[in-house]
Amino acid sequence: MKYLVLLCDGMADTPVPELGFKTPMEAALKPNMDKLARQARLGLAKTVPEGMKPGSDVANLSVLGYRPAECYTGRSPLEAASMGVDLKPEEYAVRCNLVTLSGEPDYGDKTMADYCAGDISTAEAAQLIAALNEHLPAGMRLVPGVSYRHCLVWENPSPDLGELVPPHDISGKKIGPYLPDPEKAGLLWEWMEQSCGILRHHPVNRKREAEGKRPANAVWFWGQGRKAELAKFSQKFGVKASVISAVDLLKGIGKLAGMEVLNVPGATGYLDTNFEGKAAAAVDAFRRGQDLVYLHLEAPDECGHRGETENKVRSIEWIDGRVLGPVLSYLEGQGNFRVLIMPDHPTPLAVKTHTAEPVPFLLYDSREPQPGVSSFTEKLAAQSGVFLDDASHLMELLIHWK
């Protein structure tokens, strides 16, 4: 038996006026998902426990079969693991976004123009991170990641840094009300402000502006936490598993869980990602004897954050045709298999950030076709009457379904 988990990050949504009050899942042409839906179990699952924030960190831990309330220590420690950072007991990891802020002279009056600095390239970002590291005080260092996503490692910070707001939650808003608490995280505030002066005239940004691109003219800190530990996935579920993703968050979870972490050249986390490369990596993992592949696609989430309606629909269609299609074709020619398809959380276009509502899931077993529905959508999943109030049970259901 082979197991495919197709995690379409942020895919769930609410009805969109521009789409005739359909959701992107309803508007998208996705013949492969819908073919499975006609013979699958559908339902809703709660991936974000009560009292926790609806981040991809918490939600993907749930889908992978872990209980976030028991193992979650923060987002950045998971990403740090992917970057090869072995946090010491006295160290915190803090997520560092390279962002674009507007040009007002007063720092608090600036607006969050772009939480990802125009999808800055990894090579450009590395130069900016190196420049920032030259100015950081002892006990703080920045570790470069992918594109706009990086990590601050901080020795002996305050044990309570207060609430640090994700930059994608405040797109288009003045940053003043969302800055760190100066009493708890004054040094972070100071370095967020100082980064503007360091980055403003850096050659990388001068070149980007000359090319009509958004400059990465500031940093934004959030997602803090201490070192995380996870039970090994193979021991927990009795299968050999691989994870495929463009983002350090999922790679870090995979590494901590002892899963095989596959790197796909050209994987970016957006519409320009290497869809075919991800599909090929999944097929190759199955051919090499892996039992389960956790295939994570970030593009629907990024489109949701940016309010890109057409692109969110397109991302779902491309996942269906360029990823699910080839992998499904391989599995159908090999024998028995099961497929779980779902988002981790909604990222509605209307609000441009994550929400905590239950998400639709599709569970297909090639040996036991079910009387399914015509299409994989939020509405039809809800009408099934199946509701899991703890999505961490889904992995057990996928693997040990009887």
Side-chain angles (χ1 to χ4, degrees):
M1 178 65 72
K2 299 294 184 182
Y3 308 93
L4 172 68
V5 181
L6 185 66
L7 197 291
C8 307
D9 203 301
M11 178 170 66
D13 213 304
T14 55
V16 180
E18 302 95 299
L19 299 175
F21 293 95
K22 295 180 179 179
T23 69
M25 286 182 69
E26 291 171 332
L29 296 174
K30 50 186 197 320
N32 294 297
M33 292 187 198
D34 292 344
K35 179 179 73 172
L36 294 180
R38 289 191 285 272
Q39 301 181 78
R41 298 182 183 183
L42 267 68
L44 295 178
K46 187 174 181 58
T47 58
V48 181
E50 292 296 332
M52 302 191 79
K53 294 183 178 180
S56 293
D57 41 15
V58 169
N60 276 279
L61 283 170
S62 290
V63 178
L64 277 160
Y66 296 91
R67 296 178 62 85
E70 298 173 359
C71 65
Y72 179 70
T73 65
R75 179 183 182 115
S76 194
L78 301 172
E79 297 174 327
S82 172
M83 298 176 186
V85 177
D86 186 13
L87 290 174
K88 300 174 183 176
E90 68 274 14
E91 290 180 328
Y92 260 43
V94 187
R95 168 68 174 269
C96 172
N97 273 45
L98 287 172
V99 302
T100 304
L101 300 181
S102 60
E104 288 80 4
D106 184 81
Y107 180 60
D109 286 338
K110 294 180 183 294
T111 295
M112 182 62 65
D114 191 345
Y115 68 89
C116 64
D119 282 314
I120 186 168
S121 72
T122 300
E124 290 173 312
Q127 295 180 59
L128 299 180
I129 294 299
L132 291 166
N133 268 327
E134 293 177 1
H135 299 272
L136 284 172
M140 299 177 80
R141 72 183 191 277
L142 285 165
V143 180
V146 176
S147 183
Y148 62 91
R149 313 171 185 94
H150 310 281
C151 178
L152 173 71
V153 179
W154 189 0
E155 185 177 342
N156 291 317
S158 165
D160 180 11
L161 296 176
E163 182 178 5
L164 302 181
V165 179
H168 52 254
D169 282 359
I170 58 171
S171 294
K173 297 180 181 179
K174 289 190 178 295
I175 65 172
Y178 306 100
L179 291 169
D181 184 333
E183 298 298 321
K184 295 181 177 180
L187 190 56
L188 289 184
W189 176 323
E190 175 185 333
W191 271 97
M192 288 162 67
E193 183 171 10
Q194 287 190 21
S195 71
C196 297
I198 297 169
L199 296 177
R200 183 184 305 128
H201 301 300
H202 191 281
V204 165
N205 280 325
R206 289 205 301 268
K207 183 173 184 292
R208 287 181 64 81
E209 289 181 300
E211 295 172 347
K213 299 176 182 178
R214 284 179 163 169
N217 59 13
V219 300
W220 191 271
F221 295 119
W222 61 288
Q224 72 276 21
R226 295 196 182 276
K227 184 174 182 177
E229 293 185 0
L230 295 176
K232 299 307 179 188
F233 191 89
S234 60
Q235 297 174 8
K236 188 174 174 68
F237 295 108
V239 296
K240 296 180 294 182
S242 302
V243 61
I244 300 170
S245 177
V247 298
D248 282 317
L249 171 62
L250 270 296
K251 292 178 181 179
I253 292 174
K255 184 174 181 179
L256 290 171
M259 301 169 74
E260 179 187 46
V261 178
L262 299 175
N263 295 308
V264 176
T268 66
Y270 187 52
L271 282 176
D272 60 351
T273 198
N274 184 359
F275 289 101
E276 288 79 7
K278 286 191 170 185
V283 169
D284 181 66
F286 285 130
R287 282 180 175 147
R288 289 186 290 102
Q290 295 296 94
D291 304 306
L292 182 147
V293 174
Y294 193 88
L295 183 48
H296 173 264
L297 283 304
E298 178 80 0
D301 182 63
E302 290 286 346
C303 295
H305 284 307
R306 303 174 198 213
E308 297 174 352
T309 300
E310 291 184 7
N311 279 344
K312 187 164 186 181
V313 174
R314 184 176 294 115
S315 72
I316 297 169
E317 294 179 340
W318 285 358
I319 291 170
D320 185 86
R322 298 166 65 181
V323 180
L324 178 58
V327 179
L328 197 56
S329 178
Y330 169 78
L331 290 172
E332 288 172 340
Q334 297 303 308
N336 299 326
F337 65 96
R338 291 175 181 164
V339 180
L340 171 63
I341 306 176
M342 63 187 298
D344 48 353
H345 52 69
T347 308
L349 291 155
V351 297
K352 298 183 182 180
T353 193
H354 305 164
T355 61
E357 286 82 9
V359 295
F361 71 85
L362 176 161
L363 189 56
Y364 172 83
D365 187 327
S366 65
R367 300 175 308 175
E368 300 182 31
Q370 304 290 308
V373 296
S374 60
S375 182
F376 180 38
T377 67
E378 300 92 341
K379 183 183 295 184
L380 292 179
Q383 290 176 356
S384 73
V386 176
F387 176 67
L388 295 179
D389 63 0
D390 182 352
S392 68
H393 297 307
L394 266 174
M395 190 61 68
E396 182 72 23
L397 182 60
L398 171 69
I399 296 172
H400 297 128
W401 177 2
K402 296 182 180 178

